[in-house]
């Protein structure tokens, strides 16, 4: 989405997305990319919304007859490839993933998606988010209570299974 606005190749505009996996819990760190940081105002607001609710866009395009399964499959394959590279001893394998995390544990958020370094023991390092714009700080503030509810719902489901 960012590359479409910037008029560049998608590979030139990678955007790290942190937080969770639904709506307001999805926080794109646009300011950490040269092309993303140049997007402001209403265009930024629309882009963030599109990133957060892109799955809904796919469902609408399929007229309710499916979801973004190909996107999820691609993400799963890409993550699995990174995990296998790390487990085989390759150094510097960094990828975003949703893991038990200390980043917001002091606020009761046990799990959080962020960039992690993978290695022979799995997750070897959880990276900090880095510098955030004022807009991203607001998105994180909106993310955390929703993410906490999602995590509690997941824990309750597991406990009842």
């Amino acid at each position: 989405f960012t590359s479409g606005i910037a008029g560049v190749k998608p590979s030139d505009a990678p955007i790290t997305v942190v937080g969770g996996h639904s709506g307001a819990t999805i926080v794109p760190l646009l300011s950490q990319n040269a092309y993303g940081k140049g997007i402001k105002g209403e265009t930024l607001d629309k882009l963030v919304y599109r990133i957060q609710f892109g799955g809904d866009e796919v469902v609408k395009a399929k007229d309710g007859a499916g979801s973004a399964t190909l996107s999820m499959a691609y993400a799963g394959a890409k993550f699995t490839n990174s995990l296998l590279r790390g487990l085989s001893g390759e150094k510097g394998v960094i990828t975003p993933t949703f893991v038990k995390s200390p980043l917001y544990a002091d606020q009761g958020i046990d799990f959080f998606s962020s960039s992690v370094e993978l290695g022979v023991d799995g997750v070897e390092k959880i990276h900090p988010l880095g510098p955030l714009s004022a807009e991203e700080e607001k998105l994180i503030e909106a993310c955390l209570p929703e993410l906490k509810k999602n995590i509690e719902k997941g824990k309750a489901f597991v406990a009842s299974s």
Side-chain angles (χ1 to χ4, degrees):
F1 300 145
T2 305
S3 65
I5 291 170
V8 298
K9 296 182 297 185
S11 59
D12 290 337
I15 303 298
T16 298
V17 178
V18 300
H21 183 68
S22 61
T25 70
I26 297 170
V27 180
L29 302 183
L30 293 157
S31 72
Q32 295 180 9
N33 174 274
Y35 297 105
K37 76 170 65 173
I39 301 170
K40 304 285 183 209
E42 186 179 341
T43 303
L44 174 64
D45 294 342
K46 286 181 179 180
L47 176 59
V48 168
Y49 183 87
R50 191 168 187 208
I51 291 168
Q52 290 179 325
F53 295 96
D56 296 349
E57 192 174 318
V58 173
V59 171
K60 277 185 188 173
K62 290 184 166 189
D63 200 22
S67 64
T69 51
L70 184 59
S71 299
M72 291 183 286
Y74 177 74
K78 190 172 176 180
F79 174 76
T80 300
N81 184 53
S82 294
L83 182 60
L84 291 172
R85 288 172 38 220
L87 290 172
S88 71
E90 184 177 330
K91 299 292 183 201
V93 180
I94 298 172
T95 190
T97 190
F98 190 73
V99 295
K100 187 166 180 63
S101 172
L103 294 179
Y104 293 95
D106 62 340
Q107 296 178 53
I109 310 297
D110 297 331
F111 298 88
F112 195 83
S113 179
S114 63
S115 291
V116 303
E117 187 162 348
L118 301 171
V120 294
D121 294 319
V123 174
E124 297 204 341
K125 180 179 181 184
I126 296 173
H127 289 267
L129 299 186
L132 301 177
S133 69
E135 293 89 351
E136 291 160 351
E137 290 282 358
K138 288 178 189 168
L139 291 171
I140 291 287
E141 285 176 28
C143 161
L144 295 179
E146 289 303 310
L147 184 56
K148 187 172 185 175
K149 286 186 228 171
N150 290 351
I151 292 167
E152 293 306 319
K153 188 174 181 181
K155 286 179 176 181
F157 176 78
V158 169
S160 71
S161 296

